[in-house]
Amino acid sequence: VDYPVTATFYDLIPLLNPEDYLHTNVAFARHYESKLESLKRADGLLAISHFSGSEAAQHLKYPTEKIAVAPLGPLSRSCDHDHANRERDDSRLLALGLTPGFLLYVGGSDARKNLSRLVEAWAALPGKLQAEHPLVLAGSMPEQDMDSLSVIAKATSSHPANLRFLGQISDKALVDLYGACSAFVFPSWHEGFGLPALEAMAAGAAVIAAN
């Protein structure tokens, strides 16, 4: 018996940015091309956003009538910030060397994430604001990417030590960060959905995002 097969469709970022993802890694390029062929054979696609669905239709020539949108959403997390919880949150923040009021980014450091421009924009703020609002980057990033961003901060910022890298953090710590930041900043050039921005909004944070 043949059963209909659907596939969850996230994005076509490697295909549309081959110089960053495919041209430098032949093995990954071959693997990725095989995955694209599998997607084309699926009886239906569950796209994570209308935008990603439009990518499948345009660049894979996948029939639009076989694409359904199933948007992502944040995990169910407590965003209760009463006084008692605020004290507990702040104690966890202190363990990370932070106090409320920082600017926050969550994600990786691919070129499309536009982090060099984010650091430059933060460094262009008046020194008093840089001192009051450190720029905190949470998420797994290669050492060389962190070094490159630190070089930009040292060259352009009056408070380069206020550029902070947290690396991978727990979901509980992430909720604390969303709740304590002055603003969440998400300057990506290209996203299939951009879940961290929605997570930040769900936690009540002000969000600055690229178009």
Side-chain angles (χ1 to χ4, degrees), residues 102-183:
F102 49 87
L103 299 174
L104 177 65
Y105 164 82
V106 174
S109 57
D110 310 36
R112 66 187 172 87
K113 298 295 188 176
N114 202 19
L115 295 188
S116 59
R117 193 59 181 270
L118 173 58
V119 174
E120 290 169 356
W122 171 75
L125 293 171
K128 184 173 184 291
L129 290 180
Q130 292 180 52
E132 293 173 353
H133 303 285
L135 178 58
V136 175
L137 309 183
S140 179
M141 299 179 186
E143 193 77 31
Q144 64 266 26
D145 289 355
M146 293 187 287
D147 290 344
S148 296
L149 295 173
S150 295
V151 167
I152 294 172
K154 288 172 183 174
T156 59
S157 170
S158 57
H159 292 79
N162 271 5
L163 173 63
R164 295 286 313 281
F165 300 95
L166 300 185
Q168 290 279 32
I169 58 172
S170 67
D171 285 348
K172 188 174 289 187
L174 182 58
V175 173
D176 293 340
L177 293 176
Y178 285 141
C181 68
S182 286

Side-chain angles (χ1 to χ4, degrees), residues 26-110:
V26 175
F28 174 72
R30 273 200 224 99
H31 172 75
Y32 184 72
E33 287 166 8
S34 72
K35 293 300 181 184
L36 291 182
E37 291 305 314
S38 295
L39 281 172
K40 292 175 186 177
R41 291 196 299 271
D43 297 297
L45 296 183
L46 301 176
I48 62 170
S49 66
H50 288 282
F51 174 72
S52 67
S54 70
E55 285 191 339
Q58 180 180 353
H59 300 287
L60 297 183
K61 308 303 180 188
Y62 197 87
T64 55
E65 66 272 13
K66 294 185 178 182
I67 300 173
V69 177
L72 301 179
L75 294 174
S76 177
R77 297 173 176 145
S78 172
C79 294
D80 180 13
H81 294 298
D82 60 23
H83 182 67
N85 277 341
R86 182 71 269 151
E87 287 182 350
R88 287 198 296 273
D89 292 351
D90 287 355
S91 70
R92 287 195 289 265
L93 288 174
L94 287 171
L96 295 172
L98 298 172
T99 56
F102 49 87
L103 299 174
L104 177 65
Y105 164 82
V106 174
S109 57
D110 310 36

